[in-house]
Structures are given as C-alpha cells and as structure tokens.
Amino acid sequence: MKRKNQIRRVLFLFILFSVCLNAQNEPIALSGVNLWHNGSFTPNRTVLIEKGIIKEIYETGAKKLIDSVKEIDLKGHYIIPGLIDTHVHMGMGNRALPRSPDTARLEFKRWIYSGVTSVRDMGGDARLLAYENRLIFRNENPGPEVYFSSTFGGNDMMDKDIRMKIITQGVEMENAGWTQRATPEMDVKLSVTLAKGSLVSGIKFYAGIDADLIKEITEEAHKQGLKSWGHLTVFPNRPIEVIEAGVDVVSHVWGAFWQDEDVDPTKRIPFTHTNFNNARTAIYPADLSNLNADSPELKMLLDEMVKRNVIWDINYSVYNTKMHDLYRAYAMAASNAGVMLSTGTDYYNDITDPYPTVFKEIEDLVIDGILTTAQVLEAATLNGAKAIGIENTHGTIEKGKIANLVVLRKNPIEDIKSIRAIEFTMKNGNIFYRKDYK
Ligand SMILES: [Zn+2]
C-alpha cells in the first residue's frame, strides 16, 4: 500500500513537472515589431516562437495565427537579440557563489531583467556554476545562461594564488577539471578532457604558460569542442605570441600595452599573485608614459587579431577613471583596425543600481566614439555568442535560433541609452517583464 502511494506521488510530481514544462512552451507571436537584423531595423515583423525556438519570422498580417498562439502586440517596439556579458566572475570573488550565493543570485536576477540572456564566466568553481545554471535552466531562479571556463595556469599561480584554493575546496586540485596546472610535463589530452568533464565551454589561460604550450592545449581544446580563451598578458609571452598560439578570445584593454617595445613582459616572471590586488599591480607596465597607441607593434598585433578573427573582450569601461585616455586610444586603434570586440565587464556596480555594468560598457563604447550604435549592438550580441562558441544558436534573431531577445520601447539606434527602455526580456521563450523586477 505504502509503495502504491509512493508511485502515485511520483506520478503526480511527474505530471506537475510536465505541465510546468508545457506552460512555458505555449506558442507566442510577437507582432508588429521593429526587428533588428544585420545592422538595421525592419518594421512590422511577426516573430513566432514555439518551445523556446524562433519558428518563423514574417511581415505582420502575412499569415493568420492559429488560435492556440498567444499574440503580443508590440507595435512601436524594437527587438534586439539578448545581451551577452563576455566577462563575469560569479564563480570566484567576494560577491560570487563561493562566498555569497545570495548576492550572486541577485546579480543573476538583475541580468535577466535587464536583457542579459547569456554570460561568460572567466574562471571559478565549476561545481557551483553548473548547479546555479541548472536552477536557472529549470526556472527555479531567474537568470541568464551561464557559460564558464577552466582556468589553466603555471606552477607559480597554482601553488600561490589563494583564489585557486578557494575554488577547489574539498578536492585535489589535479582532479578539479576547472583548474589545471599547465606545465611542459602535463598530459594535455587528459587535462582538457577533465576540463570538458567539468562542463566548461572553454579553457582560460591565465598566467605563466609558454606560447608553445598554449598552442598545444588550444589545439586539443578545439579538437574536443572547447574554446580557447586568454589574456593578452599570459606572461612571459608578448601579446602577439598569445594570438599566434591560436586563442579565440583575449580579454582586457590593458593587455595590449605589453606589445609595446618599450616594455618587457619577461620581467613579470614569476607572475606571483597571491591575492587580487597583487595580481592587478603585476599586469600594468611600471611606466605608462612610454606607451604609444600608434606604434607599429600595436598595429601588427591588431592586424594579426583581425586576420585570425580573434575577439577582443576589451573590458573598456572597467577602472577607467585614471586610465581613460590611454584605454580610449587603444580601443580606437582596435576599432580602426577592424578588430571584433565583445562587451565584457569584469566588474560589478552596486546591486541597488537598476542596471548591471554591461550597460556602461555598451554606452561608453558609443559615447567615446569607438563603435557606432549598430556596431555596439553586434558586439553585445553576435560577437558575444561567437566568443562563447554558440553563434549557431544564439546572437541573432533568426528562424531556428533560441528565442533569447530584448523588447525595447525606444529605438537604440537613435540613442544607445534606449537599451534601458526595456519592456521585457525573453530567454528560451520565457518572458521576464521589466516592471516585475524588484
Ligand atoms: Zn576577469
């Protein structure tokens, strides 16, 4: 009898679960809307969404909707793809999951209600990130899709960096696929396989790895379907050597400083960083006045990035008060050279601010004249998807793609600050109305 009850309870839960899944899958038509695609808005479109996928796009009125479709009239509104922040740290740091899951969940929530549908986490505890990502996927917590990385570093980093210890608590570091020691003696295939097994989307090269080894690991990562992500400051290499090693994405505007012939990256060995402040002082050249954004070395670096389609997750708006002019000169040089930029932030504003930091990144790139509004929308969507490696399913609003998008009340092409005029975010077909954000 007891067993029968148990079976009945399981059956009930199963049905409830199926109903929940179906509820979010009712077909939706967004009609009469201005649709962003390939650099401009097309007016009066209907976007038909079923089971979280974009089924069809056509001129509103060209086809009759069947009764089961829920129609949302969006006349006078603008749809852009979901925004992507390509540089976050939810898996590491004081405000992130290992220390403060509640604070991290507030950030997840702020992101999704602000139109951010995917983020790329740049090093952290994969166990926690995978767990949160599952809660988000099941709609138990609001948030974006979270893609994350495995941090690869040399001996110095793995032995001394306190952050590596925090994110591997409870396991031997060697067995934690999300933090791997990169040395000439390593078993490259095994390390990359362990990384993949920890559900990451890419390898992040952090510090103290020779370019030859970056190349070998990158080739294995690509073979196993993972991305290769790095900084321009993986010492002892010059930035160009990191690019030539075949990485897909590099982070931080300041990394390019080290391409200048007046600074010697090998002086940063060993790259000891036992805490975050220590790491930060290690990454800026001692004398910034030597740097020259017009140098032939920088031009060579940027041209190589263009040739290889490397994305620069430039983190332009981070800590930019003192460094603003220099950052701007480097970012302008990149834009003029045609380097593909993505909008990563690498910092957090106060959680009481209604919008996350990616808004400042997007707006500053336009306000400072580095990208046009059309270019920045591509940087914040399609380029972000390419950085993560999900451009076949994300990053644009097209038939067959995942329904991740943002509905705006104003035209962002006329004023980039209109990205704040959010009506709702849609992620996998689920709607998050901005007015419900508390
Ligand atoms: Zn970072």
Side-chain angles (χ1 to χ4, degrees):
M1 197 58 200
K2 213 172 165 198
R3 202 178 146 75
K4 230 180 191 177
N5 276 343
Q6 256 177 0
I7 292 170
R8 215 175 279 161
R9 196 179 308 154
V10 168
L11 204 66
F12 172 73
L13 284 173
F14 176 73
I15 291 167
L16 189 73
F17 182 56
S18 310
V19 168
C20 286
L21 277 184
N22 283 339
Q24 74 201 33
N25 288 336
E26 79 172 323
I28 298 173
L30 310 177
S31 64
V33 78
N34 298 293
L35 181 74
W36 176 260
H37 191 61
N38 271 344
S40 65
F41 281 105
T42 309
N44 206 29
R45 297 280 108 180
T46 288
V47 183
L48 189 65
I49 293 139
E50 217 179 292
K51 294 192 166 80
I53 306 286
I54 298 166
K55 275 277 166 205
E56 260 187 287
I57 300 174
Y58 51 85
E59 188 168 5
T60 301
K63 291 182 187 181
K64 202 173 171 322
L65 294 173
I66 55 169
D67 288 347
S68 60
V69 176
K70 180 184 170 192
E71 186 177 11
I72 303 177
D73 183 1
L74 291 175
K75 237 175 257 119
H77 290 72
Y78 298 80
I79 300 191
I80 59 171
L83 303 176
I84 299 177
D85 188 331
T86 49
H87 202 122
V88 307
H89 287 283
M90 279 291 114
M92 192 196 285
N94 287 339
R95 291 179 58 186
L97 295 164
R99 301 271 178 89
S100 175
D102 293 340
T103 314
R105 284 171 188 165
L106 290 177
E107 189 65 60
F108 288 137
K109 185 168 148 191
R110 177 166 65 169
W111 272 325
I112 196 67
Y113 281 100
S114 300
V116 179
T117 51
S118 309
V119 296
R120 184 180 70 135
D121 190 279
M122 290 310 286
D125 191 331
R127 295 167 296 183
L128 300 174
L129 292 161
Y131 177 71
E132 294 297 316
N133 200 31
R134 182 173 181 274
L135 290 177
I136 291 169
F137 176 77
R138 288 166 58 89
N139 286 326
E140 291 176 36
N141 282 346
E145 301 166 342
V146 183
Y147 298 89
F148 43 96
S149 57
S150 174
T151 308
F152 278 47
N155 280 326
D156 187 47
M157 177 181 182
M158 288 300 150
D159 292 335
K160 295 177 186 166
D161 191 322
I162 187 73
R163 295 171 297 176
M164 295 301 102
K165 293 186 174 56
I166 292 171
I167 66 173
T168 54
Q169 277 172 355
V171 280
E172 293 293 326
M173 208 184 276
E174 283 69 22
N175 298 328
W178 58 95
T179 50
Q180 292 289 299
R181 189 182 293 268
T183 63
E185 301 79 41
M186 75 187 291
D187 182 336
V188 170
K189 192 171 175 184
L190 177 63
S191 280
V192 173
T193 305
L194 281 168
K196 190 177 164 90
S198 64
L199 306 175
V200 305
S201 300
I203 306 294
K204 176 184 182 176
F205 296 101
Y206 199 100
I209 314 170
D210 277 322
D212 287 349
L213 189 54
I214 295 178
K215 183 165 191 268
E216 200 184 331
I217 298 168
T218 292
E219 283 167 2
E220 183 60 31
H222 286 164
K223 228 183 266 172
Q224 296 201 31
L226 297 178
K227 285 278 167 186
S228 167
W229 299 326
H231 296 158
L232 285 168
T233 48
V234 189
F235 301 124
N237 314 293
R238 280 200 184 276
I240 187 102
E241 293 170 312
V242 178
I243 298 300
E244 285 169 350
V247 299
D248 302 303
V249 184
V250 284
S251 296
H252 308 305
V253 59
W254 40 257
F257 298 168
W258 293 93
Q259 186 59 30
D260 203 294
E261 62 180 354
D262 293 325
V263 297
D264 181 0
T266 60
K267 289 199 177 131
R268 291 290 162 174
I269 304 173
F271 181 27
T272 303
H273 42 298
T274 46
N275 62 46
F276 187 63
N277 289 334
N278 189 338
R280 203 185 294 174
T281 53
I283 53 186
Y284 289 110
D287 186 1
L288 297 172
S289 65
N290 281 335
L291 299 177
N292 174 11
D294 300 325
S295 71
E297 290 83 16
L298 182 68
K299 179 91 177 83
M300 182 175 71
L301 173 72
L302 299 174
D303 288 347
E304 194 62 27
M305 287 169 75
V306 172
K307 196 176 108 193
R308 291 171 177 266
N309 284 320
V310 174
I311 296 175
W312 198 356
D313 161 44
I314 195 162
N315 313 156
Y316 176 67
S317 64
V318 66
Y319 330 121
N320 77 357
T321 37
K322 267 194 293 188
M323 309 286 283
H324 181 264
D325 291 349
L326 197 56
Y327 280 11
R328 183 165 183 224
Y330 276 76
M332 279 304 294
S335 175
N336 290 337
V339 174
M340 213 187 307
L341 304 182
S342 70
T343 51
T345 56
D346 200 26
Y347 74 109
Y348 300 102
N349 56 9
D350 197 277
I351 196 67
T352 58
D353 191 309
Y355 297 91
T357 48
V358 73
F359 281 71
K360 183 163 164 52
E361 180 77 9
I362 291 169
E363 290 163 1
D364 280 2
L365 285 167
V366 174
I367 292 164
D368 289 353
I370 291 148
L371 297 179
T372 64
T373 48
Q375 285 172 328
V376 89
L377 287 183
E378 186 159 300
T381 58
L382 183 57
N383 294 358
K386 287 178 180 170
I388 297 171
I390 52 172
E391 69 273 23
N392 290 334
T393 46
H394 294 68
T396 56
I397 302 171
E398 283 180 275
K399 185 178 168 179
K401 285 203 169 182
I402 308 276
N404 285 4
L405 47 89
V406 198
V407 175
L408 304 172
R409 289 188 299 273
K410 296 183 197 163
N411 186 347
I413 289 301
E414 286 167 8
D415 176 7
I416 193 59
K417 295 219 162 171
S418 297
I419 52 168
R420 291 173 188 251
I422 298 166
E423 182 65 20
F424 65 77
T425 307
M426 179 179 275
K427 191 198 69 180
N428 294 330
N430 296 295
I431 293 179
F432 301 82
Y433 280 97
R434 177 73 191 182
K435 63 177 166 48
D436 296 335
Y437 177 53
K438 288 175 195 78

